[in-house]
Amino acid sequence: MSQLDRLWNRDFDIRTRVISLICVLLIPLLALSSWLAYSYADAERRVIEAKRFDAANNITFLVEREINKLSGILKGLALSPDLMSGNFEMFRAHAQTIAATTKGQLTVFDPTGRELFSTNPQSGLQPLHFTQMRPTNGQWSDVIFVSGIIPSNGTNPAAISIVLPVVHDGKLLYFAQSIFDPQPLSVVFAHARLQPNWVSAVVDSKGLFISRSLNSAASIGKPARPELASAARGVRDVGEFDNVTLEGLVAANSFQRSQVTGWTTVVAVPKDELNAPLRRTQRLVLLIGLAVSLSSLAVAWRMATHISEPVRKLSEASVALVEGRPLPVIPHKITELSEVSAAFEHAGAKLAHLAAIIASSGDAILSVGVDGNVISWNPGAERMFGYQIEEIIGKPKTLIIPPELVADAMAQLERARAGERVRTETQRLHKDGTRIDVSLDLAPIRDHHGTVIGMSTIARDITEKRAAAQHQHFLMRELTHRSKNLLAVINAMARQTVRSSDSLGDFEKRFSSRIQGLAASHDLLVSQDWAAASLRDLVSKHVQVFSESAGSRLELSGPDVYVSVEAAQAIGLALHELATNSVKYGALSHPSGEIAVHWAFDKMSDNRNGLRMAWEERGGPPVTKPIRTGFGHIVTERMVAQSLDGDVTIDYAPTGLTWILNFPTTHLIDRTASARSAATRTA
């Protein structure tokens, strides 16, 4: 057996089970709540990431718009007739105005790259390497070329260049170049409405800063962090990466490359801001989960205590029931426990009746353990053998056995230990040494596992002076056996009901119902002097327990027969389970449902004389075979068959359940002979 199986099969108290149930219910609930909370936090993170990407896209658009403005101005200048005709003197005024507007420098080169005109010839700026520009399919077009950052040469600050081929009739005339300071581009970050703690930058294809949202003037032309430089030189136009900004901020970045300039825009969001929703969610889930768990467990503990204390008192009630003491008062407000208490009181009343008979009997009724020492000793034993109960309890039974009969007594004890019932006539010793002729009835005592734990003995004085009391002793012995059997049946019912019950409430309801069913059989046996029971009355009583109107829907047919006490108990339990199932699911659950019970003498399968008894239901809802079986199935099929040495057949036909019992006629009682014997004993 695995460790898990051993743990599962252990006995746990009600508190543990109720708290475990609450925990089992809380775990998926808390898991679901955590999943929803974390999903919400993840959604918040995705929103931030989407905003980060949108910011990168927006800044790229704004930068492209600024470049397109400059490109438009440059294109307008390139279409000047003065430039087309090479009249640079006339062109200069126009170019100077444009340069002042753009705060840059305008330069014109011939196709070889030789400078022809500049608005600031003293700037010292070097012309671009126009070898990077190529005609498309041999034809030049007005497609602009945007450079990366032009590093500072010590005299001039870092700058950016836009070059436009000037083409006329498909012929390249000039290259027009606009060189400007990139610092004004930083205005785009304000227009992009970045979050206060976000950082954005634009870098060229070499990974040099063109503009930056923080400390832009000092950053222009400086190399970016390796991760950003790698993204700027890479083949992907959009993407993400993590790095540490120049300010030492651990950030997650989105980048996008412009198709117009070739520059890369990056927006960095602090990792703390991205993880903030998750941290808030973790704290919230922890606090709420802890509060819910503690409050639920507190309520569970209180409820379990409210239930467990009166249930624990039931064990005291059961001990008092067995020992014949008054049942303790169990204060509670639980309906099912009230039903169990009522059942205990009902059983206690019957056991008290039997105990009173035993206590007043002249028979010696005692029990010994497997070691042969006396366990119980009734007043009849005190009177018969002269030993008071405090003198004999725990002492060996051999004190009341003549020496020459000790070996026989030990052999009888071994037979009882082996599960055999022993009846014999012999002699026993009084405390004063007087020999007493007795009739002994020995039987094994079993625990709830069926293990023999001792032996019961009923000793009757069969001397002539006690002959008049013989009937009384006999009756006491029989009643004692009935009480032992009753306790064994109750014990078995309790054990089996526990195994098939889903909860304590379910156990209490089923156990109470079965105790009442057993009581119904006993009521009938008591009315018949505990000698036999009419089969017809037995069926009627168990069906009418559930409803007075059920009798009008019950059809009985068969000869008048009487069954033995053991058979009445076994058949009564089976009838109780059949009637219970019929009221819940069968014919008695429907207004038009009916039950027919008929019996007749018939040969059994092994050719023994038997009685065939059939329970047939009709007019009820459609019947289906149950998926799982419980104690009711054990009673109606296995237990009754084993008790009567017969066989049971159950047919779950859709039109109605049919239950058939075949048992030997040895379990039938000749009522005439029984009545005559009872009259003789009474006389």
Side-chain angles (χ1 to χ4, degrees), residues 537-556:
D537 293 342
L538 189 65
V539 176
S540 298
K541 192 168 188 64
H542 276 281
V543 173
Q544 291 176 358
V545 163
F546 293 89
S547 172
E548 291 294 333
S549 62
S552 61
R553 295 191 280 160
L554 177 64
E555 176 185 331
L556 301 177

mmCIF file of all heavy atoms in Angstrom, residues 537-556:
data_model
loop_
_atom_site.group_PDB
_atom_site.id
_atom_site.type_symbol
_atom_site.label_atom_id
_atom_site.label_comp_id
_atom_site.label_asym_id
_atom_site.label_seq_id
_atom_site.Cartn_x
_atom_site.Cartn_y
_atom_site.Cartn_z
ATOM 1 N N ASP A 537 -47.353 -10.593 7.627
ATOM 2 C CA ASP A 537 -47.277 -9.413 8.488
ATOM 3 C C ASP A 537 -45.931 -8.704 8.356
ATOM 4 O O ASP A 537 -45.839 -7.470 8.459
ATOM 5 C CB ASP A 537 -47.496 -9.820 9.944
ATOM 6 C CG ASP A 537 -48.918 -10.316 10.182
ATOM 7 O OD1 ASP A 537 -49.805 -10.031 9.344
ATOM 8 O OD2 ASP A 537 -49.126 -10.989 11.219
ATOM 9 N N LEU A 538 -44.870 -9.480 8.140
ATOM 10 C CA LEU A 538 -43.528 -8.903 8.007
ATOM 11 C C LEU A 538 -43.457 -7.976 6.797
ATOM 12 O O LEU A 538 -42.939 -6.853 6.872
ATOM 13 C CB LEU A 538 -42.492 -10.026 7.889
ATOM 14 C CG LEU A 538 -41.011 -9.608 7.958
ATOM 15 C CD1 LEU A 538 -40.683 -9.034 9.324
ATOM 16 C CD2 LEU A 538 -40.112 -10.823 7.659
ATOM 17 N N VAL A 539 -44.001 -8.424 5.652
ATOM 18 C CA VAL A 539 -43.991 -7.598 4.437
ATOM 19 C C VAL A 539 -44.833 -6.341 4.653
ATOM 20 O O VAL A 539 -44.410 -5.218 4.345
ATOM 21 C CB VAL A 539 -44.498 -8.399 3.228
ATOM 22 C CG1 VAL A 539 -44.582 -7.497 1.988
ATOM 23 C CG2 VAL A 539 -43.584 -9.585 2.952
ATOM 24 N N SER A 540 -46.050 -6.514 5.174
ATOM 25 C CA SER A 540 -46.955 -5.370 5.357
ATOM 26 C C SER A 540 -46.345 -4.320 6.273
ATOM 27 O O SER A 540 -46.407 -3.116 5.997
ATOM 28 C CB SER A 540 -48.295 -5.846 5.940
ATOM 29 O OG SER A 540 -48.944 -6.735 5.061
ATOM 30 N N LYS A 541 -45.753 -4.767 7.373
ATOM 31 C CA LYS A 541 -45.231 -3.814 8.352
ATOM 32 C C LYS A 541 -44.097 -2.982 7.775
ATOM 33 O O LYS A 541 -44.024 -1.768 7.981
ATOM 34 C CB LYS A 541 -44.761 -4.567 9.598
ATOM 35 C CG LYS A 541 -44.471 -3.639 10.776
ATOM 36 C CD LYS A 541 -44.296 -4.418 12.049
ATOM 37 C CE LYS A 541 -44.190 -3.494 13.262
ATOM 38 N NZ LYS A 541 -45.420 -2.734 13.497
ATOM 39 N N HIS A 542 -43.214 -3.605 6.993
ATOM 40 C CA HIS A 542 -42.060 -2.866 6.456
ATOM 41 C C HIS A 542 -42.475 -1.915 5.338
ATOM 42 O O HIS A 542 -41.838 -0.877 5.162
ATOM 43 C CB HIS A 542 -40.991 -3.836 5.962
ATOM 44 C CG HIS A 542 -40.088 -4.312 7.057
ATOM 45 N ND1 HIS A 542 -39.048 -3.556 7.541
ATOM 46 C CD2 HIS A 542 -40.104 -5.459 7.785
ATOM 47 C CE1 HIS A 542 -38.447 -4.223 8.505
ATOM 48 N NE2 HIS A 542 -39.060 -5.375 8.680
ATOM 49 N N VAL A 543 -43.501 -2.221 4.586
ATOM 50 C CA VAL A 543 -43.949 -1.307 3.529
ATOM 51 C C VAL A 543 -44.714 -0.144 4.140
ATOM 52 O O VAL A 543 -44.548 1.018 3.753
ATOM 53 C CB VAL A 543 -44.799 -2.048 2.485
ATOM 54 C CG1 VAL A 543 -45.405 -1.055 1.478
ATOM 55 C CG2 VAL A 543 -43.946 -3.079 1.754
ATOM 56 N N GLN A 544 -45.582 -0.445 5.133
ATOM 57 C CA GLN A 544 -46.409 0.606 5.721
ATOM 58 C C GLN A 544 -45.619 1.548 6.623
ATOM 59 O O GLN A 544 -46.127 2.592 7.013
ATOM 60 C CB GLN A 544 -47.562 -0.026 6.504
ATOM 61 C CG GLN A 544 -48.597 -0.707 5.596
ATOM 62 C CD GLN A 544 -49.690 -1.409 6.378
ATOM 63 O OE1 GLN A 544 -49.648 -1.422 7.595
ATOM 64 N NE2 GLN A 544 -50.652 -1.987 5.669
ATOM 65 N N VAL A 545 -44.374 1.187 6.963
ATOM 66 C CA VAL A 545 -43.527 2.106 7.730
ATOM 67 C C VAL A 545 -43.340 3.412 6.988
ATOM 68 O O VAL A 545 -43.269 4.490 7.563
ATOM 69 C CB VAL A 545 -42.154 1.449 8.019
ATOM 70 C CG1 VAL A 545 -41.121 2.503 8.421
ATOM 71 C CG2 VAL A 545 -42.286 0.435 9.132
ATOM 72 N N PHE A 546 -43.301 3.341 5.645
ATOM 73 C CA PHE A 546 -43.011 4.526 4.836
ATOM 74 C C PHE A 546 -44.266 5.338 4.536
ATOM 75 O O PHE A 546 -44.198 6.543 4.357
ATOM 76 C CB PHE A 546 -42.336 4.122 3.520
ATOM 77 C CG PHE A 546 -40.969 3.554 3.723
ATOM 78 C CD1 PHE A 546 -40.785 2.192 3.933
ATOM 79 C CD2 PHE A 546 -39.873 4.389 3.749
ATOM 80 C CE1 PHE A 546 -39.519 1.687 4.135
ATOM 81 C CE2 PHE A 546 -38.606 3.888 3.945
ATOM 82 C CZ PHE A 546 -38.439 2.522 4.140
ATOM 83 N N SER A 547 -45.401 4.697 4.467
ATOM 84 C CA SER A 547 -46.626 5.435 4.143
ATOM 85 C C SER A 547 -47.827 4.561 4.468
ATOM 86 O O SER A 547 -47.866 3.375 4.117
ATOM 87 C CB SER A 547 -46.635 5.820 2.656
ATOM 88 O OG SER A 547 -47.883 6.371 2.312
ATOM 89 N N GLU A 548 -48.818 5.176 5.153
ATOM 90 C CA GLU A 548 -50.035 4.417 5.462
ATOM 91 C C GLU A 548 -50.785 4.054 4.186
ATOM 92 O O GLU A 548 -51.431 3.010 4.093
ATOM 93 C CB GLU A 548 -50.937 5.266 6.372
ATOM 94 C CG GLU A 548 -50.388 5.463 7.786
ATOM 95 C CD GLU A 548 -50.337 4.167 8.574
ATOM 96 O OE1 GLU A 548 -51.153 3.260 8.275
ATOM 97 O OE2 GLU A 548 -49.485 4.044 9.461
ATOM 98 N N SER A 549 -50.693 4.942 3.174
ATOM 99 C CA SER A 549 -51.421 4.683 1.925
ATOM 100 C C SER A 549 -50.753 3.608 1.085
ATOM 101 O O SER A 549 -51.332 3.122 0.120
ATOM 102 C CB SER A 549 -51.538 5.968 1.102
ATOM 103 O OG SER A 549 -50.248 6.428 0.747
ATOM 104 N N ALA A 550 -49.490 3.248 1.450
ATOM 105 C CA ALA A 550 -48.797 2.248 0.646
ATOM 106 C C ALA A 550 -49.487 0.891 0.720
ATOM 107 O O ALA A 550 -49.387 0.074 -0.199
ATOM 108 C CB ALA A 550 -47.343 2.127 1.106
ATOM 109 N N GLY A 551 -50.223 0.658 1.839
ATOM 110 C CA GLY A 551 -50.894 -0.631 1.974
ATOM 111 C C GLY A 551 -51.925 -0.874 0.895
ATOM 112 O O GLY A 551 -52.160 -2.018 0.468
ATOM 113 N N SER A 552 -52.574 0.189 0.405
ATOM 114 C CA SER A 552 -53.581 0.019 -0.651
ATOM 115 C C SER A 552 -52.950 -0.303 -1.984
ATOM 116 O O SER A 552 -53.631 -0.749 -2.913
ATOM 117 C CB SER A 552 -54.420 1.300 -0.771
ATOM 118 O OG SER A 552 -53.593 2.399 -1.116
ATOM 119 N N ARG A 553 -51.625 -0.077 -2.120
ATOM 120 C CA ARG A 553 -50.939 -0.377 -3.377
ATOM 121 C C ARG A 553 -50.053 -1.605 -3.246
ATOM 122 O O ARG A 553 -49.166 -1.814 -4.071
ATOM 123 C CB ARG A 553 -50.100 0.828 -3.807
ATOM 124 C CG ARG A 553 -50.933 2.050 -4.150
ATOM 125 C CD ARG A 553 -50.102 3.111 -4.806
ATOM 126 N NE ARG A 553 -49.334 3.884 -3.847
ATOM 127 C CZ ARG A 553 -48.266 4.601 -4.150
ATOM 128 N NH1 ARG A 553 -47.814 4.580 -5.379
ATOM 129 N NH2 ARG A 553 -47.635 5.296 -3.231
ATOM 130 N N LEU A 554 -50.280 -2.380 -2.193
ATOM 131 C CA LEU A 554 -49.487 -3.576 -1.947
ATOM 132 C C LEU A 554 -50.362 -4.819 -2.137
ATOM 133 O O LEU A 554 -51.410 -4.953 -1.501
ATOM 134 C CB LEU A 554 -48.920 -3.535 -0.524
ATOM 135 C CG LEU A 554 -48.130 -4.753 -0.076
ATOM 136 C CD1 LEU A 554 -46.869 -4.912 -0.910
ATOM 137 C CD2 LEU A 554 -47.751 -4.622 1.410
ATOM 138 N N GLU A 555 -49.926 -5.702 -2.991
ATOM 139 C CA GLU A 555 -50.665 -6.949 -3.255
ATOM 140 C C GLU A 555 -49.852 -8.109 -2.676
ATOM 141 O O GLU A 555 -48.693 -8.310 -3.048
ATOM 142 C CB GLU A 555 -50.852 -7.129 -4.768
ATOM 143 C CG GLU A 555 -51.531 -8.440 -5.132
ATOM 144 C CD GLU A 555 -51.584 -8.634 -6.650
ATOM 145 O OE1 GLU A 555 -51.625 -7.634 -7.373
ATOM 146 O OE2 GLU A 555 -51.544 -9.788 -7.087
ATOM 147 N N LEU A 556 -50.476 -8.872 -1.768
ATOM 148 C CA LEU A 556 -49.802 -9.996 -1.134
ATOM 149 C C LEU A 556 -50.517 -11.286 -1.499
ATOM 150 O O LEU A 556 -51.761 -11.354 -1.502
ATOM 151 C CB LEU A 556 -49.796 -9.828 0.394
ATOM 152 C CG LEU A 556 -49.115 -8.552 0.943
ATOM 153 C CD1 LEU A 556 -49.266 -8.503 2.461
ATOM 154 C CD2 LEU A 556 -47.659 -8.537 0.554
#
